[in-house]
Amino acid sequence: MTDFVDLDDFDHRILARVRRNNLEPARMTAEAVGLSESAVLRRLRRLRAEGVIRGDVAIVDPARVEPRIVLHVQVEMMNQERPAMEAFKRALAASPEVQGAWDVTGETDFLVTVAVRSMAEYEAFCLRELTTEAKVRGFQSMIVIREVVGFDPSRAVLKR
């Protein structure tokens, strides 16, 4: 279970700005939220130290870097025994094709987002991670035709 961090309104306003542009100078953030620059910097250090801000990243448009095929894969496990589930999670985390994975409710156990350069690469991924794994009962692949709503960090959490 995640321990929630006690955040006040200033913290939420700072986070909203950082989610939109983490390169914004602290001076501008301070002016926008009504704090001093040093107070904003102190709060940002605390938010990073407490794991609220997990990292500062660049969101790269993969379609502009190299051609790729994105698939969402629903995976159903043979059973939900903890050792098998944890081993599968570790295998997913180690797989370079996996862009994200979620333990979900419903008829399937995992939803996995996979990005590959070709269907041959996807087939190799399936053989390595899904069809040779004795604990996987089955999987269903959905190929992404086009992105409709892209990742927007300012929408990544519920708004207050």
Side-chain angles (χ1 to χ4, degrees), residues 93-111:
S95 178
E97 298 90 349
V98 174
Q99 303 298 296
W102 298 266
D103 194 341
V104 297
T105 63
E107 293 183 25
T108 59
D109 298 302
F110 292 97
L111 176 62

Side-chain angles (χ1 to χ4, degrees), residues 142-160:
M142 296 171 283
I143 300 173
V144 173
I145 296 170
R146 78 183 55 81
E147 186 177 83
V148 177
V149 177
F151 176 71
D152 178 352
S154 66
R155 297 170 49 119
V157 297
L158 296 175
K159 306 235 192 264
R160 266 179 72 121

Side-chain angles (χ1 to χ4, degrees), residues 126-135:
C126 291
L127 289 171
R128 187 181 71 245
E129 302 298 342
L130 303 176
T131 59
T132 58
E133 174 60 54
K135 300 293 182 182

